[in-house]
Every structure is written in structure tokens, then in C-alpha cells.
Amino acid sequence: MKKATRTLLIVLVATVLLPERVAAQQADLHVVATFGVQGAMEKILPEYKRASGQNVSIEYEESAVIQQQVASGKAFDLAILVPQVIDELIKSGHIKAGTRTDIAKTSLGIGVRSGAPRHDIRTAEAVKETLLSARSITFAKVGSATPVIEKMIERLGIAGVINPRIVRTETGRPADAVSAGKIDLVIAPSGAIVSVPGVDFLGLLPAEFQDSVVLTVGIGTRSERQDRAKGLIEFIRSTKSSAILRASGMEPAETSR
């Protein structure tokens, strides 16, 4: 009787837990990602679904904000963030060690409203004149590139003049404010400008003001869909996705190393 009771108990537990596990594995793969990769992922994910039949849900935010959300318990399967944040999440146990993979690199550039005059930004003096001519300027308040942008403005000696015109974006993609006609000019990683409708990309900042932003992926330690997450990473690093990354203002990992 005791053996029969144990067997029945095991069957009952399996009956309850197995469907839950299967449902978890079949649920959408959940990705959290920095705004810098949004334009590319909006094109890559439909291709991934066509190739794999798998659904992916994705949320975009600045890397530092996502780090805070994850520390507060936010669940995810895959993160696409700047490498410093990925490394810190590995140390804190939120991302599985050994899954860290660079996927692309993007450099800083400037965008303006579609149809606005296209200023030259190939030299420091040209960048200075372009910024001084803008009635309003935006960049991320807590983005990984923010210190670099602020340092550039200081080096150009125009901080006192343009600081009152700067709107530091706290939520959302900075370039969207330019697209909506609320701001004249955005400074951001090129990958966060090129694919935004209603925004013209003027080009990359001169080399002296550059600090390339690397985009890195890592799989969540608590993810129940780690095999599928690995599959998505492989697809992002595929030849087809590499072409999309380039068209979105980024260099794929193969050429960024």
C-alpha cells in the first residue's frame, strides 16, 4: 500500500508540474535590450520568427535602468546591453557565466528632423557650429554614451551656451523626440538614430569625440528557455542579421573585434 501511495503521489505531482514546465518552455522568449539595438531588432525578430517559428517579446530601455530592474527582480531570458552592465549582472548572479557574447559595435552620431538642413559634422569646428545652431538638443540622461557627449560639449567650449537648450531624455529613445518634432537634434549611438522614422542621420562624430558602444548579450540565470535564447543569439550573429545590423548603423561582432 505504501508503495502504491508513493507511486500515486509521484504521478499526481508530475501531473501538476509537468504542464507548468512545458508551458514555461513554450512561452514567448523574453528579451530586455538597450535602445541602441532597437532599430535592428525590429527588423531581425520578424526574420527570426519566420526562420524558427518562435515568438519573442522584447522591452527596450537604457542599460543602467534595466540593470536596476533586474536587481529588483525583473525576469528575462536574454539581455542585450552594454558589456559593463552584462559583466556586473554576471557577478551578481543574474546572467549565466559563459553566455556573454558581443554582437555589435555602434559609434556616436548626430540626427536631425527629416527635412531639416544637413550640417557638416566632419570636424570639431563643424560639430560646434551645428550644436550652436540647434534650438534644442537631446541625449540620454543615463545612457552609456552620456559622459562622452558631455565631455565633448565641454571640450568644444560651448557648455554655457547650449546647456539651457539640452533636454536629457529620462525615458524612451531620445531620437523619438526629434521624430515627433519636439527637439531639433539628437546625439546618440548611430544604431539608435539610423532606423528611427522621421530622423535624418547627419553622420558619425569625428574620431576625437568617439567612444564606441559595444552591444553584448547574456542569458538569464533563471531562464527556463536557455536553449531558445542560445538559438536567438546564433541568429543575431548570422549573415542575414549582420546585413541588418550594418543597415541599422552598426558593425557586426565579426568586424568589431
Side-chain angles (χ1 to χ4, degrees), residues 21-43:
R21 184 171 182 81
V22 170
Q25 292 174 341
Q26 292 178 343
D28 289 0
L29 191 70
H30 186 58
V31 178
V32 291
T34 181
F35 287 122
V37 77
Q38 181 174 350
M41 292 304 291
E42 286 174 348
K43 296 178 178 67

Side-chain angles (χ1 to χ4, degrees), residues 40 43-44 103-106 190-191 194-195 201 236-256:
K43 296 178 178 67
I44 288 173
I103 59 168
K105 179 179 74 172
T106 180
S190 57
V194 171
S195 299
F201 183 59
I236 293 172
R237 289 173 59 85
S238 69
T239 302
K240 176 176 284 189
S241 294
S242 292
I244 294 174
L245 288 169
R246 288 190 184 93
S248 301
M250 289 176 276
E251 291 181 47
E254 291 81 3
T255 58
S256 66

Side-chain angles (χ1 to χ4, degrees), residues 24 112 119 135 211 225 237:
V112 295
H119 294 278
R135 293 170 300 177
D211 188 8
R225 293 166 285 276
R237 289 173 59 85

Side-chain angles (χ1 to χ4, degrees), residues 12-185:
L12 288 173
V13 171
T15 302
V16 173
L17 295 182
L18 187 58
E20 291 182 358
R21 184 171 182 81
V22 170
Q25 292 174 341
Q26 292 178 343
D28 289 0
L29 191 70
H30 186 58
V31 178
V32 291
T34 181
F35 287 122
V37 77
Q38 181 174 350
M41 292 304 291
E42 286 174 348
K43 296 178 178 67
I44 288 173
L45 291 181
E47 295 293 336
Y48 175 70
K49 179 170 174 59
R50 277 191 282 272
S52 68
Q54 302 290 337
N55 291 317
V56 178
S57 62
I58 187 165
E59 296 179 66
Y60 300 100
E61 199 30 283
E62 294 293 350
S63 290
V65 175
I66 291 174
Q67 182 180 9
Q68 294 170 358
Q69 293 172 342
V70 170
S72 298
K74 185 177 187 65
F76 68 97
D77 296 304
L78 184 71
I80 309 176
L81 307 169
V82 295
Q84 306 94 296
V85 173
I86 291 289
D87 290 341
E88 289 175 10
L89 291 175
I90 290 173
K91 290 178 183 177
S92 64
H94 293 96
I95 285 181
K96 188 175 180 181
T99 65
R100 182 193 191 281
T101 308
D102 292 344
I103 59 168
K105 179 179 74 172
T106 180
S107 299
L108 296 178
I110 290 179
V112 295
R113 231 175 294 168
S114 291
R118 295 184 64 88
H119 294 278
D120 176 22
I121 61 168
R122 289 175 293 179
T123 66
E125 187 61 30
V127 171
K128 180 178 179 178
E129 292 178 6
T130 297
L131 296 181
L132 286 172
S133 69
R135 293 170 300 177
S136 53
I137 299 167
T138 189
F139 50 83
K141 183 176 182 179
V142 295
S144 59
T146 300
V148 180
I149 296 170
E150 291 175 338
K151 183 179 179 181
M152 176 188 72
I153 293 170
E154 290 290 341
R155 286 178 59 189
L156 290 171
I158 57 175
V161 178
I162 70 170
N163 274 343
R165 310 177 197 172
I166 295 174
V167 178
R168 290 168 172 78
T169 303
E170 296 189 31
T171 59
R173 188 169 46 174
D176 287 335
V178 176
S179 176
K182 298 176 181 178
I183 301 289
D184 286 348
L185 180 150

Side-chain angles (χ1 to χ4, degrees), residues 213-254:
V213 177
V214 176
L215 300 173
T216 304
V217 299
I219 298 174
T221 306
R222 294 186 296 157
S223 171
E224 296 182 344
R225 293 166 285 276
Q226 294 192 15
D227 287 343
R228 287 170 55 192
K230 290 176 184 177
L232 178 56
I233 293 173
E234 291 173 2
F235 190 84
I236 293 172
R237 289 173 59 85
S238 69
T239 302
K240 176 176 284 189
S241 294
S242 292
I244 294 174
L245 288 169
R246 288 190 184 93
S248 301
M250 289 176 276
E251 291 181 47
E254 291 81 3

